[in-house]
Amino acid sequence: MHETAYEITTLTPQQPTTHTAMLPTEIPPGVQMVTLPGGIRTLAYTPQQAPPMPPVPVAQPIPAWAKTTALLTPTIGGGVAAAGIGISYAAPGLIAMSQALWAAVALIAAAAIGVPMLLRLGRSAADTEAGRGTTHITQTITATGMFGRSNGTINHH
C-alpha cells in the first residue's frame, strides 16, 4: 500500500492570496482579527473577558435621627393605640357628658332670657297693685370752682 505524501507550505505575506477578506459583520462571536509578532494579520479565538466586578458597597453608619425615629415609632404607635382604646371605653360617658353640657347651656340661656322677664313682670304687677305707675328719679349736682365742694339733691316723682 502506498500513501500519498503531502507537502506543507506556509503562506508568506509576499504571496498573493486567492480568497476574499471577511467583512467585520461576518466574523463569528469569540473570534477577533489579531496581528501576530511577524506582522501577519489573522483571525483567532480570544478568551472572553470576565465582566468587571461590581464595586463593593461600603457600609455607611446609620444617622442618629434614623435611630431615634426607629426607637420612637413603637412608643408612639402604642400611645395612639392606648388612646384609641381609652376613647372607645369612654365614648358612652363622653356622649352623656356632652348631652348634659348641652342641657346646661340651654338652661343658662333660658335663665339669661327668662329671669329678667320674670323680674319685670313681677315689678310691674307690684307697681299696679300699689297704685303707682313708674317712678322717676332726678338728681341735681352743683359745684363751684375746679376743686370746690359739690352739693346734690335727689327727687322722687
Side-chain angles (χ1 to χ4, degrees):
M1 194 161 196
H2 179 28
E3 291 186 21
T4 311
Y6 294 99
E7 183 180 339
I8 299 174
T9 59
T10 58
L11 184 64
T12 61
Q14 290 82 17
Q15 293 178 343
T17 58
T18 57
H19 70 288
T20 59
M22 289 180 72
L23 296 174
T25 57
E26 296 175 341
I27 298 175
V31 177
Q32 288 184 347
M33 182 68 74
V34 295
T35 304
L36 298 175
I40 300 173
R41 291 180 53 98
T42 184
L43 294 175
Y45 288 102
T46 56
Q48 294 200 357
Q49 296 177 356
M53 294 294 292
V56 178
V58 178
Q60 300 277 335
I62 298 173
W65 65 266
K67 290 180 185 178
T68 304
T69 303
L71 291 173
L72 287 178
T73 301
T75 305
I76 293 170
V80 169
I85 292 169
I87 289 173
S88 70
Y89 281 127
L94 290 175
I95 292 170
M97 284 176 43
S98 69
Q99 290 175 351
L101 285 173
W102 279 114
V105 167
L107 181 65
I108 291 170
I113 295 171
V115 169
M117 289 179 69
L118 287 174
L119 290 176
R120 278 193 203 126
L121 288 174
R123 201 179 289 154
S124 66
D127 287 344
T128 54
E129 286 179 5
R132 297 182 292 178
T134 58
T135 304
H136 295 285
I137 301 173
T138 59
Q139 184 176 11
T140 308
I141 299 173
T142 58
T144 56
M146 184 157 203
F147 297 106
R149 189 174 182 153
S150 60
N151 297 317
T153 58
I154 297 175
N155 299 318
H156 294 275
H157 298 282

